[in-house]
Amino acid sequence: MDSVKNMLALAVSGALGGAVTADEVLSVIEVPADTKNGDLAMPCFRFSRVLRKAPPVIAAELKAAIDGSLAEVKEINAVDGYLNFFLSPSFYVDVLKRIAADEGFGSSDIGKGKTVCLDFSSPNIAKRFHVGHLGTTAIGGFLKNLHDFCGFTTVGINHLGDWGTQFGKLIVAFKKWSSPERVDERGISELVDIYVRFSAEAEKDPSLNDEARAAFTEMERGNEEYLAIWRGFKEISLREYMKTYELLGVTFDSYNGESFYNDKMDAVVDELRDKGLLVIDDGASIVRLDDYNMPPAIILKKDGSTLYATRDIAAAIWRKNNYDFYKCIYVTSAGQSLHFAQYFKVLELMGYDWAADMVHVPYGTMSVNGEKLASRTGNVILLDDLFAEAIAKVEKIMEEKNSDLADRRAVAEAVGVGAIVFNALANNRIKDSNFVWEEALSFDGNTGPYVQYTYARTASILRKAEPDGAGYDGYVPEKDETALVTTLAAFPAKVLSALADYEPCIIARYALDVCAAYNVFYHNRTILKAEGEAKAFRLALTGAVKHVLGKCLDLLGMKRTEEI
Ligand code: ARG
């Protein structure tokens, strides 16, 4: 489609004797929402001033000048100041052929030789995965797939929150009220329970807090007994997170969490001091950011201990040295935007020009059935519970539809989890979103199940097809068919714009567009019962839709469902 637009732009610019450049023409050629007057439209309004003519006159003159001279164009109409082009059947046939022959259609190699670090999910250990973690995990997973698809080398990093005073509390609580056996048996729930108990008991007996602080200091000094307990907490947490990651199809290349940077922090603090950036303020060491309208970045607390930001600065430098990244991307809720803006600025002030390659990708809050979730108010919905409920609901829907699939459970899992993931990715990421069961699970709304269902439809048609060896060179596609080819042809451009904006909803919505165009075609045309060139063209079209939808599902981190 781009090549034909280019060709038209050159022809129009040529016909105008270069008074308007081809680039200017290109920028106004569009695929109209309603294609009754043409497959492509070019409004002439913008050229009116330079050419000193009314738009309808320009359109009429252009039609006279180029109609009949372009092989790709079947018909040109001048209507109300627009120049409309109907493209020739052979053009669509050629586009489909090119898509069908290209196994990597949609992918690119613009990232070749470039490494991108993606820091996402990154939960604080000893806490359970809840709905608040879905955004970072699903968006991060998507961005990793997207970068892979565009030829980048990706490093998925799970920057686990595995260091800080809370682990001193957990160790004290563990020694008082728990045991390795109990933790092994009850998993994270045990850790959560003893942590809650600690908070309650410390209210009555504040000396517990001193004990906890001392325990954490011991950890920092390398007390092996404490570190072994802490490693156990980490293991138990990861064991549970892995199940969730498996369901989501998300993988990481590194689990270097905050603790990994313990021994790398002194050097950072020294460097900040040497570069004259560190200021002592009320006992704490800070970097002032007043000139940038931000509160100071706190590097060391009064007691000399490091903070989240200190560890992030150390991590960024370590990653640059180790991966020589082209970009380092962080996916977190918008609530952390200030944190990232602050420490990116600190890196810049340290003289690192690569600070410009640090990208924070924020996202809005997700509510479930209109309720905001906050762990502080105790109003948490655990991700596992949400998945389990979705899977059960989908299984029930499948039962009602009398599905006799052998692996019904596996399909229900793919569709149930897919529905939740799609819902999390289908809206502008920065906007707050709401999860409503009936909407997310509907098979004919703008949902994950609808996309997976349409994908399964293409798969089923192709399974049943018995191609008779006919080609489709001379086929004259119907309007719903050319519309579908046009939609498919947009895939590579959609991929690149999703990449430029770090925006999953571009792909999610595009997948819905493909489904809508395919389903119109499917209802208007026979496929398996068609014959000759018509059948060949429609099967090729179905194959191309399967390819594009399959890639969209892969990118979004949803499972392909060959049968529903
Ligand atoms: N552990 C943090 C949290 O749960 C997210 C970490 C994001 N990554 C980073 N490098 N700061 O909020």
Side-chain angles (χ1 to χ4, degrees):
M1 205 47 70
D2 283 350
S3 64
V4 77
K5 280 189 194 166
N6 275 320
M7 184 273 301
L8 290 175
L10 284 169
V12 167
S13 171
L16 296 173
V20 178
T21 68
D23 276 349
E24 282 173 274
V25 178
L26 186 62
S27 70
V28 296
I29 299 179
E30 60 193 18
V31 177
D34 180 352
T35 52
K36 78 175 182 314
N37 287 324
D39 301 325
L40 290 173
M42 188 194 87
C44 298
F45 306 96
R46 273 225 227 141
F47 313 144
S48 182
R49 212 158 50 111
V50 200
L51 300 173
R52 295 167 184 278
K53 283 178 192 164
V57 177
I58 303 174
E61 289 182 1
L62 279 171
K63 172 178 158 68
I66 58 176
D67 205 0
S69 67
L70 307 164
E72 290 89 342
V73 178
K74 185 175 68 178
E75 190 187 323
I76 298 183
N77 297 312
V79 185
D80 298 337
Y82 277 82
L83 198 60
N84 301 299
F85 308 89
F86 276 113
L87 302 176
S88 55
S90 63
F91 167 75
Y92 287 105
V93 165
D94 285 347
V95 171
L96 179 59
K97 268 191 175 172
R98 243 178 296 138
I99 296 176
D102 181 359
E103 274 177 32
F105 179 64
S107 67
S108 83
D109 57 6
I110 59 163
K112 214 171 146 204
K114 295 178 179 142
T115 298
V116 168
C117 292
L118 294 124
D119 176 322
F120 66 105
S121 198
S122 307
N124 296 330
I125 65 158
K127 298 218 175 106
R128 302 196 63 191
F129 240 99
H130 59 77
V131 171
H133 293 109
L134 182 61
T136 170
T137 311
I139 297 170
F142 165 81
L143 290 176
K144 184 165 186 274
N145 298 335
L146 185 66
H147 281 84
D148 284 332
F149 197 50
C150 293
F152 291 90
T153 301
T154 57
V155 186
I157 303 175
N158 198 329
H159 186 78
L160 294 171
D162 59 1
W163 204 249
T165 40
Q166 71 271 32
F167 295 103
K169 295 182 187 174
L170 262 183
I171 285 189
V172 172
F174 172 81
K175 292 186 73 145
K176 285 196 196 304
W177 308 305
S178 188
S179 66
E181 293 74 32
R182 281 186 66 85
V183 171
D184 199 48
E185 194 193 308
R186 298 194 58 231
I188 295 182
S189 301
E190 174 72 3
L191 302 180
V192 170
D193 288 350
I194 59 174
Y195 192 80
V196 169
R197 179 159 175 196
F198 180 94
S199 306
E201 308 245 351
E203 291 257 313
K204 292 177 257 161
D205 176 8
S207 76
L208 278 176
N209 284 321
D210 301 328
E211 253 181 81
R213 248 189 305 275
F216 182 61
T217 307
E218 276 303 299
M219 279 175 66
E220 287 195 299
R221 285 200 187 124
N223 178 318
E224 223 358 90
E225 185 206 342
Y226 287 7
L227 286 177
I229 299 174
W230 163 81
R231 271 193 290 273
F233 295 163
K234 206 165 146 169
E235 228 165 79
I236 237 45
S237 306
L238 271 176
R239 202 199 291 166
E240 283 185 37
Y241 300 156
M242 286 320 243
K243 286 189 222 147
T244 311
Y245 292 142
E246 220 158 274
L247 266 185
L248 287 168
V250 161
T251 57
F252 297 92
D253 304 289
S254 160
Y255 288 87
N256 287 342
E258 295 189 34
S259 67
F260 177 77
Y261 300 98
N262 282 342
D263 59 356
K264 300 163 183 68
M265 228 89 76
D266 286 348
V268 171
V269 175
D270 290 345
E271 188 181 333
L272 283 165
R273 196 175 290 119
D274 291 348
K275 289 183 171 163
L277 293 167
L278 228 46
V279 178
I280 307 294
D281 184 68
D282 195 17
S285 303
I286 63 170
V287 177
R288 282 203 195 289
L289 298 171
D290 310 60
D291 289 351
Y292 313 97
N293 289 321
M294 286 188 278
I298 305 172
I299 304 296
L300 292 176
K301 282 195 237 170
K302 246 187 201 162
D303 63 6
S305 57
T306 59
L307 290 100
Y308 182 49
T310 327
R311 296 191 274 275
D312 257 334
I313 295 170
I317 295 171
W318 188 86
R319 288 174 192 172
K320 184 66 194 176
N321 290 338
N322 270 270
Y323 302 117
D324 192 22
F325 56 72
Y326 162 74
K327 268 182 192 161
C328 186
I329 298 169
Y330 299 80
V331 187
T332 78
S333 76
Q336 296 197 34
S337 294
L338 177 62
H339 162 74
F340 287 100
Q342 284 177 306
Y343 95 78
F344 291 176
K345 183 54 82 180
V346 172
L347 288 168
E348 186 190 315
L349 294 174
M350 289 171 92
Y352 293 121
D353 52 3
W354 51 262
D357 307 328
M358 312 285 285
V359 183
H360 179 225
V361 176
Y363 61 87
T365 351
M366 173 171 154
S367 321
V368 173
N369 294 326
E371 274 190 64
K372 276 232 165 86
L373 304 146
S375 46
R376 265 178 225 109
T377 59
N379 187 14
V380 282
I381 295 188
L382 300 177
L383 213 45
D384 285 347
D385 295 346
L386 198 67
F387 286 149
E389 199 171 338
I391 295 166
K393 281 187 194 250
V394 171
E395 226 180 342
K396 199 151 156 268
I397 295 173
M398 291 176 74
E399 241 166 66
E400 282 160 12
K401 289 193 171 181
N402 267 329
S403 149
D404 52 6
L405 284 185
D407 52 354
R408 201 161 71 190
R409 172 78 197 174
V411 176
E413 189 177 295
V415 175
V417 173
I420 292 170
V421 170
F422 190 86
N423 191 271
L425 298 180
N427 291 308
N428 278 46
R429 63 174 156 73
I430 199 65
K431 290 202 182 140
D432 291 348
S433 67
N434 188 18
F435 180 87
V436 179
W437 280 113
E438 298 70 46
E439 286 169 20
L441 290 186
S442 154
F443 274 67
D444 47 21
N446 288 334
T447 62
Y450 172 62
V451 178
Q452 284 169 317
Y453 189 76
T454 307
Y455 175 82
R457 168 170 282 166
T458 63
S460 140
I461 291 171
L462 294 169
R463 265 196 309 274
K464 290 186 204 138
E466 288 162 20
D468 44 22
Y472 52 89
D473 277 356
Y475 182 64
V476 178
E478 307 283 349
K479 256 184 98 180
D480 47 57
E481 294 172 318
T482 59
L484 184 49
V485 172
T486 302
T487 306
L488 292 176
F491 186 40
K494 295 284 178 184
V495 167
L496 294 180
S497 77
L499 187 77
D501 292 352
Y502 307 97
E503 183 55 89
C505 84
I506 292 176
I507 296 299
R509 289 189 187 154
Y510 171 67
L512 293 173
D513 289 346
V514 174
C515 290
Y518 186 72
N519 287 320
V520 169
F521 156 79
Y522 177 82
H523 287 294
N524 288 346
R525 310 289 150 210
T526 56
I527 303 173
L528 294 171
K529 292 206 180 94
E531 283 173 357
E533 292 200 315
K535 181 173 174 182
F537 181 87
R538 291 170 192 168
L539 284 177
L541 196 50
T542 300
V545 169
K546 179 170 186 282
H547 170 88
V548 169
L549 281 185
K551 292 294 178 195
C552 288
L553 291 172
D554 294 350
L555 290 172
L556 295 169
M558 295 161 67
K559 295 225 167 72
R560 294 182 180 218
T561 39
E562 303 298 326
E563 253 183 300
I564 287 191

